[in-house]
Amino acid sequence: MATVTVNRPVLATPGQGGGRVTGTGTLLRFMLRRDRIRLPAWTLGLALLMGYFATALETFVESPADLEGLTAFSGSPAGALFGGPGFGFDDLTIERFLAGQYGLYVALGAGLMGLLTVVRHTRAEERSGRAELVRASVVGRHAQLTAVLVLVAMMAAVVAILIGGLMASRGYDLGGALLFGASVGAVALVFAGVAAVTAQLSEYPRAASGAAGALLGAAFVLRGLGDMAAVQGSGASWLSWLSPVGWSQQTAPYVHDRWWPLAISLAFAVTAAAAGYALSARRDFGAGLVPPRPGPARAAAWLDGPLALAFRLHRASLIGWSVGLLAAGLAYGSFTQPLLDGFTDAPEDMVAIMGGTENLLDGYLGTMGLTMALVVGVYVVLAVQTLRSEESEGRAESVLATAVSRSAWIGSHLVVTAVGVPWLLLVAGAGMGVGAAVSTGDAGSLGGLLLGHVAHTPAVWLLLAAAALLYAVAPRVLPLIWVVLGYGLIVGYFAPILEIPASAARLSPFAHVGEHPLEEVSVVAVLVLTGLAAVTAQVARLVFRRDVVGRT
């Protein structure tokens, strides 16, 4: 009798077959194929943002006097809060200002790039079930995490090279340009390592990215508080050294040109990645180290409709954002008086930007209202991205199989998110008001501060409706909404410095209501923005109501 030999694939399990990282190269090529649009969008987008800053600043700065005016603001506590410690600002040059003031925002973007990429290719893949299919082949347990960390390292290197080459091409010192690019890339590596850990803790991608994003926000706050203290000569400047973003800024490109702080970033990234590997080996596939709380055997009576379900899904996110914004408001409010003291000797043109000598307090509080509105804008974009996750992972299908219509499903999520906007702004304003009252010893501005925060609600609603419309039309283009939010940030913070035309500034939904209490709230703008948001949201519901098979 003839003998038949059947060749069967050998699964790479821990301790058997090809090892724990077998298949890393194949998975890396697959990730590059999947991210053929995301990768250049992230890397080129960050480089182009830096290029825009450089071009606009070179256009604005026409004489040494212009640089002196920038020094007054950037070397103040307010400049430290929103930019950095201001290395070399006593002898300011354009390249020093770019790296010391605008580099922070490019670094934050790199951090988001790193953490979102890791969660996308690890926890999100497990949640969707695709990772299970991949592991059914000859793939090691750690291959997926290894591949995505290599991918982020490649993206960080590309960003570093592009930004360094951009700065060098403008005639700036090559060594400083390469250091600046490397400092931006280092932030991406650090938060890729952070996400490698958070992806092991929860079985939900939103929780993993939310935890990593919260740590990025904490790094920004710590850096801001430490840099403000450094400008004031306070002993609390050590707070900057607790922040991974602060490590990159401590390199001081074009001033001290210190490479060694990047060793801290690299060591932290390696340590965090190693912790991610260790934690991954201690959990079951598809599960998290922090198990979800078991729910009741029977659903509560109030969970009888799509609106209640939407609230249940967004509840944890709302609680987390409320706590974070309250803490941020308290932190920034507590530095109100030191910041005002820092403007005592500032030039008149810089004082005018903050509302003039008699309105410095109102100017700062108005700016913080805009800042919190932009932060809540991040919340609404992430909330809309939740809709796509619900649909792509099949949970929306189970809901729509009942008597719930497509328009009711998307509408319920939009209603819950829309109600959350004024609540989050109110919480942030309350925290800011309490902190400012303690700092200045005067609680008289609390009412105006709360109004100044909540008044930005229609602008955030319009951003929410635009994101919903993009999702309804084509989910793949939803990330474009980040451009709107980023443009609002640039206009809100840098329009006076970059001399952005008023017609271009008005394209931002955040540029119309007014920064109360410095400016009166425009009732017309509130009504118009609210109307536009309502109409756009209704269009999104009508578009999504169509029964589309295989939406992409």
Side-chain angles (χ1 to χ4, degrees):
M1 181 180 293
T3 301
V4 178
T5 301
V6 178
N7 294 321
R8 297 179 178 178
V10 179
L11 302 183
T13 56
Q16 300 178 0
R20 294 174 181 263
V21 295
T22 298
T24 297
T26 301
L27 285 176
L28 178 60
R29 291 192 295 272
F30 175 62
M31 291 175 184
L32 289 170
R33 175 70 176 79
R34 285 191 64 198
D35 285 358
R36 62 189 182 278
I37 296 177
R38 287 175 177 265
L39 193 153
W42 272 115
T43 55
L44 290 176
L46 292 173
L48 290 175
L49 178 61
M50 198 65 216
Y52 169 77
F53 285 144
T55 301
L57 188 62
E58 290 176 353
T59 302
F60 169 70
V61 176
E62 299 177 351
S63 66
D66 294 330
L67 280 175
E68 291 178 3
L70 295 176
T71 304
F73 174 76
S74 302
S76 69
L81 177 65
F82 294 110
F87 290 115
F89 280 16
D90 53 344
D91 185 18
L92 191 62
T93 62
I94 292 179
E95 57 267 37
R96 288 179 176 180
F97 186 81
L98 284 171
Q101 195 73 17
Y102 293 153
L104 169 65
Y105 299 95
V106 183
L108 291 175
L112 283 173
M113 177 186 74
L115 70 90
L116 291 176
T117 301
V118 169
V119 173
R120 166 178 164 82
H121 289 291
T122 54
R123 177 53 65 182
E125 289 295 281
E126 290 189 39
R127 186 66 182 169
S128 66
R130 289 187 292 266
E132 186 175 6
L133 297 176
V134 171
R135 289 201 181 188
S137 184
V138 185
V139 175
R141 183 183 187 106
H142 297 321
Q144 197 155 21
L145 180 57
T146 303
V148 72
L149 290 176
V150 173
L151 174 62
V152 173
M154 293 171 59
M155 297 172 72
V158 171
V159 168
I161 292 171
L162 289 176
I163 291 179
L166 172 71
M167 301 292 280
S169 68
R170 294 180 173 273
Y172 306 147
D173 177 68
L174 178 60
L178 294 178
L179 175 58
F180 177 57
S183 68
V184 173
V187 179
L189 295 179
V190 166
F191 284 96
V194 170
V197 174
T198 60
Q200 316 307 323
L201 301 180
S202 172
E203 63 183 65
Y204 300 105
R206 284 185 310 220
S209 58
L215 292 175
L216 178 61
F220 175 83
V221 172
L222 281 174
R223 175 221 55 82
L225 298 179
D227 290 347
M228 288 179 67
V231 170
Q232 296 166 341
S234 170
S237 59
W238 56 270
L239 288 172
S240 298
W241 289 97
L242 298 180
S243 168
V245 179
W247 301 335
S248 289
Q249 289 192 314
Q250 291 296 327
T251 59
Y254 304 109
V255 183
H256 302 306
D257 288 336
R258 298 183 296 211
W259 285 86
W260 64 264
L262 296 185
I264 305 176
S265 300
L266 183 60
F268 182 92
V270 171
T271 302
Y277 283 117
L279 294 175
S280 175
R282 298 179 64 86
R283 66 175 179 87
D284 293 332
F285 177 80
L289 289 172
V290 179
R293 186 181 63 179
R298 303 181 66 86
W302 61 272
L303 283 172
D304 59 352
L307 186 62
L309 177 61
F311 171 73
R312 178 64 179 81
L313 292 175
H314 290 276
R315 183 178 63 183
S317 178
L318 271 171
I319 293 174
W321 278 88
S322 298
V323 173
L325 286 171
L326 179 62
L330 288 170
Y332 284 125
S334 65
F335 271 81
T336 300
Q337 189 59 52
L339 184 141
L340 297 178
D341 295 339
F343 269 88
T344 302
D345 300 323
E348 293 183 3
D349 55 343
M350 299 309 299
V351 174
I353 294 177
M354 293 293 291
T357 305
E358 298 180 355
N359 298 309
L360 281 178
L361 177 60
D362 291 345
Y364 172 64
L365 297 181
T367 300
M368 290 311 302
L370 173 64
T371 301
M372 294 304 179
L374 291 169
V375 173
V376 176
V378 176
Y379 159 76
V380 302
V381 173
L382 294 178
V384 175
Q385 288 182 334
T386 298
L387 296 178
R388 187 179 184 188
S389 299
E390 291 292 303
E391 186 179 13
S392 62
E393 295 171 12
R395 293 187 293 273
E397 184 177 1
S398 300
V399 177
L400 295 174
T402 66
V404 178
S405 66
R406 293 173 62 86
S407 59
W409 179 76
I410 189 175
S412 61
H413 283 271
L414 293 181
V415 168
V416 171
T417 305
V419 172
V421 169
W423 163 253
L424 292 176
L425 289 173
L426 183 65
V427 168
M432 186 73 190
V434 171
V438 173
S439 178
T440 61
D442 180 12
S445 60
L446 179 59
L449 182 61
L450 292 176
L451 175 59
H453 279 66
V454 177
H456 289 285
T457 297
V460 184
W461 278 346
L462 183 56
L463 181 72
L464 168 64
L469 182 58
L470 286 176
Y471 165 71
V473 172
R476 285 184 179 272
V477 303
L478 177 57
L480 290 178
I481 196 64
W482 291 107
V483 177
V484 179
L485 190 60
Y487 185 73
L489 183 147
I490 293 173
V491 169
Y493 288 162
F494 308 119
I497 296 177
L498 300 179
E499 294 188 335
I500 297 176
S503 57
R506 283 194 292 269
L507 295 176
S508 169
F510 298 92
H512 300 276
V513 174
E515 297 180 10
H516 192 79
L518 177 63
E519 303 170 346
E520 290 296 326
V521 175
S522 174
V523 178
V524 174
V526 168
L527 295 176
V528 171
L529 290 173
T530 302
L532 288 175
V535 171
T536 306
Q538 181 63 17
V539 172
R541 290 180 65 249
L542 293 175
V543 172
F544 188 78
R545 188 173 62 182
R546 297 178 304 176
D547 187 13
V548 180
V549 179
R551 282 164 38 86
T552 57

